[in-house]
Amino acid sequence: MPRAEHKRLPPSSDAGALAPAQAAAAAEAAEAAAPASAITANSVVVLDYGGQYSQLIARRVRECGTFSMLLPHHVGAEQVAKLQPQGLILSGGPASVYADGAPPLDPALLGLGIPVLGICYGMQLLALELGGRVEQAEVGEFGRSQLSVGVSGRLLAHTPEEQSCWMSHRDTVYEPPPGFTGLAASTSSPVAAFESLERDIYGIQYHPEVVHTPYGQQVLANFLGDICRCDGSWSARSVIEEQVERIRTQVGDGHAICGLSGGVDSTVAALLVHRAIGDRLTCVFVDGGLMRKNEGEQVVSAFRDHFQVPLVAVDAEDRFLGALSGVSDPEQKRKLIGSEYIRVFEEEASKLKDARFLVQGTLYSDVIESGGGSGAATIKSHHNVGGLPEDLEFELVEPLRALFKDEVRAVGAELGLPERFVWRQPFPGPGLAIRIVGGEVTRERLDVLREADSILQEEIRKAGLYRDLWQSFCVLPDIRTVGVQGDERTYGTVIAIRAVTSDDAMTADWARLPYDLLEQIANRMINEIRPVGRVVLDITSKPPGTIEWE
Ligand code: XMP
């Protein structure tokens, strides 16, 4: 199903698969994204060899209070050195070290004078490069394993002799390189960890970053603290003052404009920029009538009344609904909404003659995904504002480029953003329009859907489940079904409930909402919304389904 402006997050392995030409851009982006003090005092580089957990390693490092930059493996030792990290982590990866085209280790990385930790594939690369024995085992080791620690050394310090860990490999290290000490073994891995204090090189076969490795965070803390001497002082919150300074330097006495969507990213980006340049920021909120109940009012009142950020709110409902009239094809809807948004935004931007800067809530995952692309006027088509054309000549201000989503939430909370915004579930750019399925998007249908959605959200919040769900929403298919209410036959609208759990929207499971809650929701929808005659529950996971219905 093609989607014009669909923000799909690829698996982290895509970062490892970037073309070499993009590697330099990714390193530049990391440099631009890094808090100034982090580059000199408190950061490590994670090189991504395509492992599914590479982003997770970067996040876990940050949870230890050390800023991390995730770069593709072929970025080159010179560029890593430019970032002045205090340590280097080589991630896992899907390849066998002996496979044709397997991502190699650049030996120059071992000459940077900083500690190196190889995880899984990263450890095997180190073993191979330094003269250890790595072979493909008859049987792989996947899932939970029992680890026996012989010598804890520095890397496994403060962890017990017997512990469980999470493995995912076939190639196995049978002998550590000369001069290295084997630290631990598991059933299928005779050398599950090794280190050489002299070379300042360390390796573990298992995955310290996943929750199934109970002492994993301790291992990372050992590496970052005792070995790399990082001071553990980084936090998402510590970014605020640095970013404010950066924004001031970038914007000078210029003016900026920000398209608000109501989502946490654009909201937090706008607040940071407002803190930096005050009323020289103007936010533009385009309400196309496709938001959820009261959402537009909440954005306007939070920004205009509470934060007192200059805000232009455009009521463009008629324009959007006019453009959508008679249209039911999902892709056409997306295109029409995208281009209508651009038209309205351009009109407003052209009224703000002084605005030379455009604020965007680009996240670190977007930076990794696109392989960098720092600099002016590269406006990504997947962004919420819907792919602004390049002839809108703005310089981008992207204060969240260094942060993962959960870190953006922490910054938002610190900036005093109400909980409702901080923890808002993702909401698609085209809004409710892509939840009216198979028929025309009309005001009446939108109103029914909005009411149903509002009941769903209210009940889910009341049950304390809102934050446990990745998304919860209603869908209105263009069908009617027969029912009976009182003594009358009805022919009513159907509402489908969709609630999913997920970590990243790449995969999702349908949420097992309690029956009593479902009953309460269905009763309320049928009793309170006149046209609704039937409520159904979507029990499709992703894959094979997608989260949205179209
Ligand atoms: P699917 O339906 O592909 O959705 O499982 C994955 C995530 O993306 C959101 N989504 C969109 N977001 N514009 C957006 O900004 C879109 O056209 C769009 N379509 C889906 C969806 O809500 C989910 O979080």
Side-chain angles (χ1 to χ4, degrees):
M1 187 168 16
R3 282 172 175 176
E5 47 169 326
H6 187 162
K7 182 170 178 171
R8 281 188 188 280
L9 299 178
S12 60
S13 60
D14 280 15
L18 293 173
Q22 287 179 292
E28 254 174 54
E31 200 173 350
S37 65
I39 293 182
T40 51
N42 200 17
S43 69
V44 301
V45 162
V46 180
L47 284 190
D48 182 3
Y49 286 85
Q52 63 183 126
Y53 300 127
S54 303
Q55 280 204 30
L56 193 55
I57 298 173
R59 285 174 49 193
R60 292 280 185 251
V61 168
R62 292 182 181 196
E63 284 169 19
C64 291
T66 297
F67 184 68
S68 61
M69 295 168 273
L70 181 64
L71 302 180
H73 62 83
H74 42 61
V75 75
E78 218 174 280
Q79 271 156 336
V80 172
K82 258 175 55 189
L83 296 167
Q84 299 175 35
Q86 265 154 279
L88 179 62
I89 297 178
L90 315 176
S91 83
S96 158
V97 285
Y98 293 113
D100 279 346
L105 175 70
D106 173 3
L109 290 167
L110 306 183
L112 295 176
I114 52 173
V116 178
L117 168 65
I119 296 175
C120 193
Y121 182 81
M123 177 203 196
Q124 295 157 9
L125 280 178
L126 288 171
L128 198 64
E129 172 67 27
L130 300 168
R133 185 159 68 89
V134 185
E135 281 170 24
Q136 195 159 71
E138 290 273 304
V139 284
E141 191 178 22
F142 297 96
R144 203 178 303 279
S145 257
Q146 193 57 28
L147 190 76
S148 300
V149 178
V151 183
S152 54
R154 272 209 208 163
L155 190 63
L156 304 187
H158 319 295
T159 73
E161 270 175 40
E162 293 295 323
Q163 51 185 287
S164 64
C165 67
W166 195 258
M167 292 278 195
S168 181
H169 67 110
R170 194 168 288 278
D171 283 354
T172 299
V173 179
Y174 287 94
E175 275 170 39
F180 279 65
T181 309
L183 303 177
S186 73
T187 335
S188 307
S189 297
V191 185
F194 61 51
E195 69 181 26
S196 160
L197 300 186
E198 200 189 329
R199 302 278 317 252
D200 226 359
I201 294 176
Y202 308 79
I204 37 174
Q205 183 56 69
Y206 58 94
H207 289 273
E209 68 277 16
V210 305
V211 289
H212 313 291
T213 300
Y215 294 94
Q217 201 66 356
Q218 180 65 53
V219 174
L220 288 178
N222 291 343
F223 179 69
L224 298 166
D226 298 345
I227 297 170
C228 297
R229 302 270 161 218
C230 293
D231 66 11
S233 64
W234 185 87
S235 75
R237 287 170 186 179
S238 67
V239 162
I240 295 177
E241 289 318 310
E242 275 165 355
Q243 282 305 325
V244 165
E245 273 316 301
R246 258 175 207 261
I247 295 164
R248 285 193 182 134
T249 309
Q250 185 187 359
V251 178
D253 57 7
H255 289 249
I257 184 168
C258 177
L260 278 187
S261 69
V264 66
D265 306 343
S266 63
T267 304
V268 173
L271 289 182
L272 267 175
V273 174
H274 185 251
R275 184 172 277 205
I277 64 167
D279 290 356
R280 283 182 287 119
L281 168 73
T282 303
C283 289
V284 175
F285 172 62
V286 178
D287 186 350
L290 305 172
M291 306 279 283
R292 285 166 295 189
K293 193 172 174 184
N294 300 331
E295 212 161 24
E297 289 90 327
Q298 280 164 11
V299 173
V300 172
S301 102
F303 272 76
R304 203 178 266 164
D305 308 334
H306 183 67
F307 290 111
Q308 302 184 338
V309 177
L311 175 76
V312 180
V314 190
D315 178 356
E317 186 179 16
D318 290 343
R319 282 178 70 156
F320 276 68
L321 294 191
L324 288 169
S325 142
V327 179
S328 61
D329 175 69
E331 192 52 17
Q332 215 189 335
K333 279 193 250 180
R334 281 188 168 83
K335 283 205 180 105
L336 286 168
I337 292 165
S339 57
E340 204 54 42
Y341 183 93
I342 291 164
R343 229 167 279 147
V344 177
F345 190 87
E346 270 182 323
E347 281 171 24
E348 294 308 319
S350 68
K351 292 182 202 158
L352 300 166
K353 294 212 169 15
D354 293 337
R356 205 162 60 74
F357 296 89
L358 180 69
V359 179
Q360 289 208 302
T362 314
L363 301 189
Y364 196 48
S365 22
D366 304 328
V367 174
I368 295 166
E369 176 188 331
S370 61
S374 62
T378 339
I379 295 163
K380 291 190 207 112
S381 59
H382 68 225
H383 192 264
N384 266 344
V385 297
L388 297 171
E390 286 187 19
D391 55 6
L392 265 183
E393 285 185 357
F394 286 114
E395 187 179 321
L396 293 187
V397 181
E398 299 177 306
L400 311 179
R401 278 176 75 80
L403 301 181
F404 290 110
K405 187 91 172 186
D406 44 349
E407 297 166 345
V408 171
R409 293 195 207 278
V411 170
E414 184 72 13
L415 291 170
L417 195 62
E419 210 231 306
R420 187 170 276 274
F421 285 90
V422 172
W423 288 102
R424 198 180 88 140
Q425 292 173 354
F427 186 63
L432 297 181
I434 55 164
R435 294 178 180 169
I436 292 174
V437 175
E440 196 187 356
V441 178
T442 62
R443 204 180 303 264
E444 293 68 34
R445 284 185 176 149
L446 283 165
D447 284 343
V448 170
L449 184 55
R450 237 188 301 270
E451 281 307 317
D453 187 79
S454 156
I455 290 173
L456 179 73
Q457 303 311 336
E458 202 182 307
E459 292 298 329
I460 282 183
R461 279 181 200 276
K462 239 199 293 179
L465 294 174
Y466 184 80
R467 278 204 210 172
D468 297 339
L469 300 173
W470 174 264
Q471 275 173 287
S472 48
F473 57 88
C474 294
V475 177
L476 191 158
D478 183 28
I479 46 171
R480 293 206 284 162
T481 68
V482 174
V484 53
Q485 281 178 24
D487 294 329
E488 267 180 56
R489 179 182 183 279
T490 59
Y491 195 46
T493 299
V494 177
I495 290 291
I497 295 172
R498 179 77 166 140
V500 296
T501 53
S502 174
D503 286 328
D504 54 10
M506 293 297 300
T507 59
D509 197 7
W510 61 278
R512 274 52 168 182
L513 297 178
Y515 282 173
D516 290 350
L517 173 65
L518 289 168
E519 183 184 24
Q520 164 76 358
I521 291 168
N523 280 346
R524 280 196 60 192
M525 284 182 187
I526 289 178
N527 291 337
E528 294 175 30
I529 313 170
R530 217 179 149 64
V532 175
R534 191 176 292 266
V535 177
V536 300
L537 178 68
D538 180 354
I539 53 166
T540 321
S541 290
K542 173 184 180 175
T546 48
I547 295 175
E548 304 287 347
W549 276 30
E550 62 174 31

